[in-house]
Amino acid sequence: IVAQEIQLLNNWKFINYDYGNAPAVDFNDENWESVTVPHDWAVQEDFSFSHDIQLTTVVQDGEIKPNYRTGRTGALPYVGVGWYRTNHTISAKDLEQKVQLLFDGAMSNAKVYVNGQYVGERPFGYISFYFDITKFLVPGDNVIAVRLENFTGQSRWYPGAGLYRKVSVIKTNKTHVKMWGTFVSTPKVSKKSAQVHLDLEVLGSGNYTVLNEIINPKGISVAKKSKDITLKGEQKITEDFKISKPNLWDLETPNLYTLKTTILDKGEVIDSYTTPFGIRNIRFELDGFYLNDKKIRFKGVNMHHDFGPVGAAFHKELFVRQMKKMKEMGVNSIRFSHNPPAPEALDVCDSMGILAIDEAFDEWKIGKVLNGYAKHFDLWAKKDLTDMILRDRNHPSIIMWSIGNEIMEQYQPNGAEVCV
């Protein structure tokens, strides 16, 4: 089986209610609302300042005592528990392979169940995450359920609520390229030639051939290398390619190449994985930022993840519209404030020639709100930061990583210790 992604966007059932633990497989959801994903359960409800009254001290504004604030999160009822359920059919042949369930983001405190069995959880609502659900599946119909819970005082802006980004089932051979397992870099770049370096992680067992091919923006193959390998679990592979007269990625001509990785078993393709990337050189000097040896002045904005009256549900066409408006204003760079964006947002920045700052957190151990990320920092920060970088590291639009916004530890003696 060659890797196959099936987006689970339709035929979801939703209820904004706390049923406690996961509902049984045969739980009656007849009266639940039928929805499509991406879905934001709060945006369609009425506005009221009572939805999120916060007693907090805004140190950044010079406050020394707490004050009550209302409507910081849009005056929408995002607080509460929401259940999502859908059915997905799996064949007996699929179960001979590997089946993974991928969430681009789920707001928030997600707990995932398959056929009534607990699979795993992820508190951070902005992070992409996935689970191997093969062992929980049966041939035929399967029930996927997700419990989400937002708390009062969880955010300083409107976070949205629900499965507000894509959900996908990904089927692969047991031998396959690891999820987010490619890292393409361009350590040497000039107009005459470029070095493209690949770090690749493959999972499986047995003897195989790994073919890596680079395809240029016109769809023409410009470099190819193959390697015979013996797998015993997880293995890392490196390759280097030389590209003559590369089409550079920049703001005016955001050229995108594609790395296609294919795993063959005695000539038969068993897995295929594509990685878009750009060939460009970036550096920071005392006098500013340089892209392909050209000094670029940032003309940027901070962009939160919501779409105003449409809510937080991510729709690519709406983000494209936003970016077109930004470019008309003269914007050439975006800081995603203050959390990782939907992966498709970075795809748009890549294709439209917009520089991006990818930001991890709004707070570390010292919180700014009652139930913010500080509650999860000790247990989850390393995992969340790692997954953000693994997911996003191939985007040529990213020119900077941010590990936090206005972090309170910067004022503490041990702030540097927390950072490292």
Side-chain angles (χ1 to χ4, degrees):
I1 182 173
V2 179
Q4 179 185 15
E5 179 177 352
I6 303 167
Q7 294 183 2
L8 302 182
L9 306 182
N10 301 310
N11 303 315
W12 284 89
K13 290 280 194 172
F14 166 75
I15 192 168
N16 192 185
Y17 187 80
D18 188 0
Y19 280 102
N21 293 324
V25 178
D26 59 355
F27 194 89
N28 184 1
D29 57 14
E30 278 187 11
N31 295 323
W32 292 22
E33 181 184 358
S34 294
V35 300
T36 58
V37 170
H39 177 253
D40 180 347
W41 85 56
V43 72
Q44 64 186 2
E45 303 300 330
D46 293 333
F47 294 97
S48 174
F49 286 124
S50 65
H51 288 317
D52 189 21
I53 300 174
Q54 298 184 20
L55 179 63
T56 185
T57 304
V58 181
V59 177
Q60 292 83 359
D61 290 349
E63 295 182 355
I64 58 175
K65 64 178 183 178
N67 291 300
Y68 282 102
R69 284 173 171 76
T70 59
R72 296 182 90 192
T73 55
L76 286 166
Y78 76 96
V79 175
V81 174
W83 277 101
Y84 290 84
R85 285 164 57 91
T86 192
N87 293 65
H88 185 65
T89 302
I90 291 290
S91 69
K93 187 175 182 180
D94 289 335
L95 295 182
E96 297 175 3
Q97 312 299 322
K98 181 184 286 289
V99 183
Q100 298 177 100
L101 184 61
L102 170 65
F103 296 84
D104 283 357
M107 189 63 68
S108 60
N109 297 287
K111 293 185 178 181
V112 179
Y113 304 84
V114 174
N115 294 326
Q117 300 179 75
Y118 171 77
V119 174
E121 61 189 79
R122 202 63 178 262
F124 195 28
Y126 296 94
I127 200 69
S128 293
F129 61 96
Y130 62 93
F131 299 113
D132 181 349
I133 60 171
T134 313
K135 67 180 181 181
F136 300 98
L137 299 168
V138 297
D141 190 54
N142 293 265
V143 179
I144 297 172
V146 184
R147 182 187 190 273
L148 299 168
E149 183 169 11
N150 285 341
F151 295 97
T152 301
Q154 178 176 306
S155 178
R156 299 188 301 118
W157 55 83
Y158 179 63
L163 293 178
Y164 75 119
R165 295 178 182 169
K166 288 200 323 307
V167 182
S168 303
V169 166
I170 298 176
K171 303 175 184 178
T172 65
N173 194 286
K174 288 184 179 178
T175 296
H176 61 282
V177 176
K178 186 178 179 181
M179 183 86 74
W180 309 328
T182 58
F183 179 31
V184 183
S185 58
T186 54
K188 296 179 181 179
V189 175
S190 71
K191 292 181 179 180
K192 292 183 178 180
S193 68
Q195 177 192 355
V196 176
H197 179 78
L198 168 65
D199 291 305
L200 172 68
E201 293 180 85
V202 180
L203 298 173
S205 61
N207 299 314
Y208 303 94
T209 299
V210 177
L211 174 65
N212 287 295
E213 182 177 15
I214 293 179
I215 301 167
N216 73 10
K218 295 182 179 179
I220 300 171
S221 176
V222 293
K224 185 185 299 185
K225 286 191 177 182
S226 65
K227 182 175 291 186
D228 294 329
I229 61 171
T230 298
L231 290 175
K232 296 180 181 178
E234 182 176 329
Q235 183 170 325
K236 295 183 178 181
I237 300 169
T238 62
E239 294 281 17
D240 283 286
F241 306 86
K242 183 179 179 180
I243 307 298
S244 299
K245 296 181 179 178
N247 300 113
L248 301 187
W249 186 95
D250 60 27
L251 302 185
E252 289 76 31
T253 55
N255 295 300
L256 291 173
Y257 284 73
T258 300
L259 171 76
K260 183 178 180 181
T261 302
T262 306
I263 302 177
L264 301 101
D265 182 5
K266 299 181 179 64
E268 179 185 357
V269 176
I270 62 169
D271 189 55
S272 182
Y273 193 95
T274 58
T275 307
F277 70 97
I279 296 177
R280 91 293 193 257
N281 173 283
I282 64 171
R283 72 180 192 272
F284 289 86
E285 301 285 355
L286 290 177
D287 65 336
F289 169 77
Y290 288 80
L291 172 65
N292 301 327
D293 298 323
K294 178 183 177 182
K295 185 175 179 180
I296 302 292
R297 185 181 296 276
F298 295 139
K299 300 173 184 177
V301 296
N302 292 329
M303 290 286 294
H304 282 277
H305 71 298
D306 68 281
F307 294 106
V310 179
F314 186 88
H315 296 282
K316 185 176 180 179
E317 61 272 24
L318 295 181
F319 188 75
V320 169
R321 179 182 179 277
Q322 279 188 332
M323 292 304 98
K324 287 181 177 178
K325 295 290 185 183
M326 292 292 105
K327 294 197 78 169
E328 288 173 6
M329 292 167 52
V331 168
N332 66 5
S333 50
I334 300 292
R335 175 191 176 205
F336 288 101
S337 47
H338 298 291
N339 303 102
E344 294 161 293
L346 291 168
D347 292 339
V348 173
C349 290
D350 291 345
S351 64
M352 294 182 66
I354 299 171
L355 305 175
I357 299 176
D358 203 346
E359 193 154 76
F361 315 116
D362 185 45
E363 57 185 45
W364 291 353
K365 296 163 72 77
I366 302 175
K368 302 173 186 175
V369 288
L370 179 64
N371 289 304
Y373 190 78
K375 294 178 61 177
H376 308 295
F377 185 88
D378 284 336
L379 187 60
W380 288 100
K382 183 177 180 179
K383 175 66 172 170
D384 288 337
L385 186 60
T386 298
D387 284 353
M388 181 188 84
I389 294 171
L390 290 177
R391 188 197 75 173
D392 296 344
R393 57 187 171 172
N394 295 306
H395 289 281
S397 57
I398 295 178
I399 49 86
M400 193 183 300
W401 303 90
S402 167
I403 57 174
N405 167 60
E406 299 174 349
I407 296 302
M408 303 302 293
E409 276 82 354
Q410 66 183 306
Y411 306 111
Q412 304 298 317
N414 68 334
E417 297 175 15
V418 179
C419 179
V420 298

